[in-house]
Amino acid sequence: MIKYIVRRLLGAIPVLFGLSIILFAFIHLLPGDPAATILGQHARPELVDAMRHRLGLDLPLWQQYLNYVGDLLHGDLGRSFVNNRSVVDDFFVRFPGTVELTLAALAFAVGLGIPMGRWAARKPQSFSDGFITVVSLVGVSIPIFVLGLSLQYVFAVQLHILPASGRIDPRLQVPYTTNFLLIDTLLAGRPDAFVDSLRHLVLPAIALGSIPLAIITRITRASVLDVTHEDYVRTARAKGLTEKRVDGRHIMRNAWLPVVTVIGLQVGGLLAGAVITETVFAWNGVGKWVVEAIEAHDYFVIQSSILIFALIFLLVNLVVDIGYAFLNPRIRYS
Amino acid sequence: MTGSILPVDDDVATRSAGRPLLEVRDLRTYFHVMDGVVRAVDGISFSIMAGETLGIVGESGCGKSVTSLSIMRLLDMPPAEIPSGEILFEGRDLLTMPDEEMRKVRGNDIAMIFQEPMTSLNPVFTVGDQIAEAVILHQGLSKKAAWDKAIESLKAVGINNPERRVKQYPHELSGGMRQRVMIAMALSCDPKLLIADEPTTALDVTIQAQILELIRTVQDRTGAALMLITHDLGVVAETVKDVVVMYAGRIVEEGSVEEVLLAPKHPYTEGLLGSIPSRGKRGERLNVIRGTVPNPFNMPPGCNFAPRCPYAFEPCTQADPRIGDANPPDVACWLYTATATSPTPPRVRPRLDLVEALG
C-alpha cells in the first residue's frame, strides 16, 4: 500500500510539470500587461518599462519560465504583483473558505443524492423514479451562476430568509484563527455567529452542489438497480436475511463502488464550480481570489494557485482510489 | 471428510411415515411481460417425504428453476404471479405465510444451492462472513461461535485448511471451491430441505462428479430431503430416488428413477433419454428431439408436446392430457388413457449406461 501511494505521488510530478507549462503559456497569451494594470492606464511608458523590468517581465519567455520553475523547486510560489504578498500565505488564508464551501456542497450532493438514488431505484419506472429523474436532469442542466442568482433572488431578495452573499455578517466580530468560520465561531464560543455563518453557507452550497447532486443521484440509481439483480442478492434473500440487511449490506456495499469513483471525480468539478460560485456569492475563497488575479494579470497568483488546486485534485483522487480499495477486496493495491 | 459436524438425523424414518415434508399442489407461476403472459409453471403437483430425494428434469425454460424459486418465494412479483396452488411445507402453506415467517423458513428450514457459483457469492464479503451471517440470524449464535461454525461447515464440505479459506474472498477461490462454499452455507443451519438448482452445470466435468458426490454424502449424513433440479439425466441417475419430468411448465411423467429411466412412458422422456450421446456409438448422428419448445405466447392446442411428438395422434391436438388422466396416473399422455385408440405405445431401448450408474 505504501509503495502504491509513493508511486502515485511520483506520478503526480510529470502531471504538475506539464500543467505548469500549459498554464504559463496560457497566462502569457492573455491580452494585457500586468505592469500597465498596476500603474493604471495613464502611466508614462518609461515607468511601465521600469515596472516590467522590476517584475522580470522583460526577460525572454523561456527564461521567465525557468525562473518560475526554479523558484517552485525551492518551494517559492512567488509573490503577488498587486500587493507583494507571498502567494502561499494568501492561498492558505483563503483556502479554508473554499474548503468549507466545497465540503458543504459535497455534503449536500452526497447526503441528498444517495438517498434519492436509492429511492428512485426502489421502484424503477414509477412516479417517484420519474420525478427524481426530472429533478436531476434539471439540476445538471442549470448553470451555476443562473441557479446562484435565482436562489439569491428568491430566498434573499424576496423571502428574506437567507443571506445573499458573504461568509458571515461583517458586524459579528469573530477572531480568525483557522479561517474555517464554522470552527472559528465555535472556538470563540459564539453560537450566534456559528448559526450565521451556517446560514451564509446554505445558498452557495446548494448552487455549487446541484450538478454533483444530479450526477450522484443518477449513478446511485443505476448502480443499485444493477446490483439488485445480481445472483448474490438472491443468495442473500435465500439465506433468509431481512430486506433491510439485504438492501443495506449486500446491495449497498457493492453499489457504493461506482458511486465513490464518481464522487471523487466530482471534486474536480466542485473546485472549478467554486470559482463561479464564490464570485456570484462574494464568497471570500480561492476561487474569487483567482478571478481577481486574472483580472489584474497577477501571473504568480494565477499560476501557483491553479497548480495547488491541481495538486489537491490529484491528492483527492488518490484518497478516493485508496478508499475504493478498502470497499472492494478484488482490488488491493500492492 | 471426517469429523461430521452435521448432526445425523435418526428421525428420518419416523418423519417420513407421516405426511410429506414438502407438498406442491397445482402450482401455477405466471409472468406478466410486455408481450403477454408466460405460464412458466402451469399446474404442477409433487411431493417430497422427509429425508427423500427428488429430481426435477427438463430442458431449459421448462419451468424447473421457476418452481424452486416459487417454493422459496424469491420471484419478483410483479412480473411474476402465482394465481393458484399451494406449497405445503410441514403442513403450512408457504404461499400464504406472512413475509416475516417465510423469511425464517428460508435458509433455516429450506436452503438453496444455485447454478452459478461464480456469481452467487457476494464479492465484497469474506466466505466466513457470508456463512456466519445466516447462522447468527437463524440460530442466534454469537459472532465468534458463528465463525467457528463457518470453519466447521467448510471442513464438512471437504475444503482443506478451512481456517485460512474462511478469511478469503470469493474471487480467491475456484468455481468448484465456491460451490462447496455454497453447499457449506446451505447446510450451516441444518435445513430440512435442500434445493439444488443445477448445482453442477457451471462446473468442469471432473469437479461435477465431486460436487454430486458431496451433495449425496451430506444429504445422507444430515437426513435433509433433497430436491435436485437438472437438465442432466445422468446427474439424476446418480443422485436421486424419484424423478419428475417437466415440459413447458407441466409435469409429463413421474416415478422412481428406475421406472423413468429404464421404462420411460412419455414420448418426451423417451426423446430426452434418446438424445444422450452413448458410448460405443462414435461417428453416428446424435438423436435429437425434433422441433423446438413451443412459443410461450402461442401454446399449441391440446398437448404441449404434440407438435414434436413422433406418436401424436388425434386426441393430442384436441385436449390437454394431465397427470392423473392416464392409467397408471404417472404420465400425462393420451397414449396411456383407456380411450386411447393408438396402436403404438412408445418403446424405448433401456439406457444400459445409465442403468450402470444407478447400480
Side-chain angles (χ1 to χ4, degrees):
Chain A
M1 186 59 118
I2 301 286
K3 228 171 125 187
Y4 172 78
I5 294 172
V6 171
R7 210 172 60 217
R8 282 285 299 264
L9 289 178
L10 289 177
I13 293 173
V15 174
L16 291 175
F17 180 71
L19 181 67
S20 73
I21 296 180
I22 295 170
L23 262 176
F24 188 84
F26 270 103
I27 286 168
H28 287 268
L29 281 173
L30 282 177
D33 179 358
T37 313
I38 293 167
L39 294 173
Q41 60 188 97
H42 304 298
R44 277 181 289 144
E46 57 268 34
L47 275 180
V48 173
D49 283 343
M51 182 58 103
R52 287 176 61 84
H53 180 72
R54 222 186 83 202
L55 297 176
L57 295 175
D58 54 345
L59 296 170
L61 272 185
W62 61 270
Q63 208 167 345
Q64 285 188 45
Y65 177 73
L66 286 186
N67 286 345
Y68 175 60
V69 171
D71 287 345
L72 274 186
L73 291 178
H74 289 98
D76 180 2
L77 293 174
R79 288 180 172 275
S80 162
F81 293 160
V82 178
N83 57 16
N84 205 32
R85 284 165 53 94
S86 149
V87 171
V88 185
D89 290 352
D90 266 12
F91 184 89
F92 284 105
V93 168
R94 288 149 190 276
F95 189 51
T98 302
V99 172
E100 231 170 47
L101 174 61
T102 315
L103 286 183
L106 196 61
F108 167 70
V110 172
L112 200 57
I114 287 178
M116 274 186 12
R118 287 175 73 172
W119 189 41
R122 185 162 302 214
K123 274 194 181 162
Q125 318 303 335
S126 65
F127 174 78
S128 52
D129 182 29
F131 178 75
I132 288 172
T133 303
V134 171
V135 167
S136 54
L137 268 177
V138 170
V140 89
S141 320
I142 299 184
I144 294 178
F145 69 92
V146 174
L147 181 60
L149 291 172
S150 315
L151 288 172
Q152 280 174 332
Y153 181 73
V154 174
F155 291 98
V157 178
Q158 293 296 326
L159 298 175
H160 299 290
I161 49 179
L162 288 166
S165 65
R167 290 180 65 192
I168 193 164
D169 189 328
R171 285 165 297 181
L172 296 166
Q173 306 267 324
V174 181
Y176 297 140
T177 40
T178 62
N179 284 312
F180 289 96
L181 284 186
L182 291 180
I183 297 173
D184 285 346
T185 50
L186 288 180
L187 286 179
R190 292 281 300 279
D192 58 321
F194 177 77
V195 171
D196 185 69
S197 60
L198 209 55
R199 277 162 46 82
H200 277 84
L201 198 48
V202 175
L203 293 183
I206 292 174
L208 180 56
S210 66
I211 291 174
L213 168 70
I215 294 171
I216 289 170
T217 304
R218 298 301 296 165
I219 206 82
T220 304
R221 174 188 180 274
S223 179
V224 168
L225 278 181
D226 250 15
V227 173
T228 304
H229 296 109
E230 289 286 347
D231 288 348
Y232 53 76
V233 174
R234 191 182 56 191
T235 308
R237 291 214 171 87
K239 274 197 277 191
L241 302 182
T242 56
E243 270 312 298
K244 203 175 146 198
R245 200 172 165 86
V246 171
D247 194 47
R249 204 171 124 88
H250 286 263
I251 295 180
M252 276 321 283
R253 255 305 290 275
N254 285 282
W256 263 110
L257 299 173
V259 177
V260 165
T261 307
V262 166
I263 290 174
L265 291 174
Q266 288 310 307
V267 171
L270 283 172
L271 289 176
V275 174
I276 302 166
T277 313
E278 288 177 8
T279 308
V280 171
F281 285 91
W283 186 269
N284 207 2
V286 176
K288 185 162 155 274
W289 184 50
V290 170
V291 171
E292 287 161 6
I294 292 172
E295 285 166 357
H297 297 93
D298 201 344
Y299 289 174
F300 286 119
V301 172
I302 305 173
Q303 288 176 64
S304 298
S305 56
I306 292 178
L307 271 183
I308 299 173
F309 259 30
L311 181 64
I312 289 165
F313 182 61
L314 289 172
L315 290 179
V316 167
N317 270 306
L318 177 58
V319 169
V320 168
D321 284 349
I322 291 168
Y324 194 85
F326 277 104
L327 281 175
N328 187 356
R330 281 162 296 185
I331 303 173
R332 287 281 145 93
Y333 305 112
S334 51
Chain B
M1 260 179 276
T2 50
S4 157
I5 52 108
L6 304 155
V8 177
D9 204 329
D10 304 321
D11 211 24
V12 176
T14 39
R15 271 202 280 153
S16 55
R19 59 183 175 206
L21 177 70
L22 178 80
E23 193 177 0
V24 174
R25 288 185 191 159
D26 193 35
L27 175 69
R28 287 165 205 271
T29 307
Y30 296 170
F31 288 91
H32 296 268
V33 293
M34 210 96 96
D35 299 323
V37 177
V38 177
R39 300 178 175 208
V41 173
D42 198 12
I44 64 168
S45 304
F46 62 87
S47 62
I48 306 175
M49 294 303 223
E52 295 292 332
T53 54
L54 174 75
I56 297 189
V57 193
E59 294 167 89
S60 331
C62 74
K64 40 193 207 304
S65 290
V66 173
T67 303
S68 66
L69 293 174
S70 300
I71 294 172
M72 291 291 271
R73 273 178 48 189
L74 286 175
L75 293 166
D76 284 335
M77 301 198 194
E81 185 209 353
I82 300 185
S84 81
E86 284 178 321
I87 298 174
L88 300 174
F89 182 77
E90 296 184 314
R92 297 187 299 162
D93 188 357
L94 299 182
L95 290 178
T96 55
M97 199 177 262
D99 285 348
E100 188 55 20
E101 247 171 275
M102 183 62 212
R103 201 177 56 63
K104 287 178 187 148
V105 170
R106 281 191 209 119
N108 197 26
D109 293 325
I110 308 177
M112 199 159 169
I113 305 168
F114 295 100
Q115 174 173 2
E116 284 294 336
M118 305 312 276
T119 53
S120 292
L121 290 166
N122 197 320
V124 302
F125 300 118
T126 61
V127 161
D129 258 350
Q130 298 188 52
I131 300 176
E133 196 176 23
V135 181
I136 293 170
L137 178 82
H138 293 300
Q139 310 201 326
L141 293 188
S142 70
K143 242 182 164 167
K144 173 82 183 62
W147 191 259
D148 290 342
K149 175 105 190 184
I151 296 177
E152 282 175 37
S153 28
L154 287 182
K155 200 187 283 174
V157 295
I159 288 180
N160 288 325
N161 204 346
E163 292 83 2
R164 190 169 65 87
R165 293 292 185 192
V166 78
K167 286 183 236 155
Q168 288 187 321
Y169 288 92
H171 71 272
E172 296 173 86
L173 307 176
S174 66
M177 199 74 96
R178 288 188 213 186
Q179 198 59 304
R180 282 176 195 267
V181 170
M182 284 298 291
I183 295 171
M185 199 153 83
L187 293 172
S188 60
C189 291
D190 308 317
K192 294 171 187 147
L193 172 64
L194 185 61
I195 300 177
D197 187 356
E198 302 266 9
T200 57
T201 307
L203 302 173
D204 287 352
V205 182
T206 47
I207 309 294
Q208 280 185 3
Q210 290 177 14
I211 294 291
L212 278 184
E213 175 66 30
L214 174 66
I215 291 177
R216 211 159 43 178
T217 320
V218 292
Q219 188 270 329
D220 218 33
R221 203 164 56 201
T222 59
L226 173 69
M227 180 174 144
L228 179 80
I229 293 169
T230 180
H231 66 277
D232 187 338
L233 287 165
V235 168
V236 163
E238 286 176 37
T239 322
V240 297
K241 196 171 135 271
D242 295 309
V243 64
V244 156
V245 181
M246 280 185 77
Y247 181 77
R250 310 253 174 98
I251 292 178
V252 294
E253 182 165 2
E254 62 189 21
S256 72
V257 166
E258 288 85 353
E259 286 165 3
V260 173
L261 296 192
L262 299 184
K265 295 197 180 76
H266 198 283
Y268 175 66
T269 319
E270 181 200 21
L272 269 187
L273 283 164
S275 59
I276 303 175
S278 59
R279 264 177 268 161
K281 291 176 80 181
R282 193 179 287 270
E284 280 184 36
R285 285 187 77 87
L286 295 174
N287 293 312
V288 292
I289 305 176
R290 65 194 168 88
T292 53
V293 182
N295 178 348
F297 301 111
N298 186 18
M299 283 292 190
C303 174
N304 285 339
F305 189 60
R308 303 174 74 184
C309 181
Y311 307 103
F313 64 122
E314 211 193 315
C316 300
T317 51
Q318 284 158 10
D320 186 15
R322 288 289 173 136
I323 284 267
D325 287 346
N327 182 27
D330 51 7
V331 58
C333 179
W334 291 122
L335 288 171
Y336 296 91
T337 52
T339 54
T341 50
S342 165
T344 51
R347 298 184 63 81
V348 196
R349 282 167 286 119
R351 289 300 306 265
L352 289 175
D353 47 344
L354 293 175
V355 180
E356 283 163 27
L358 284 170

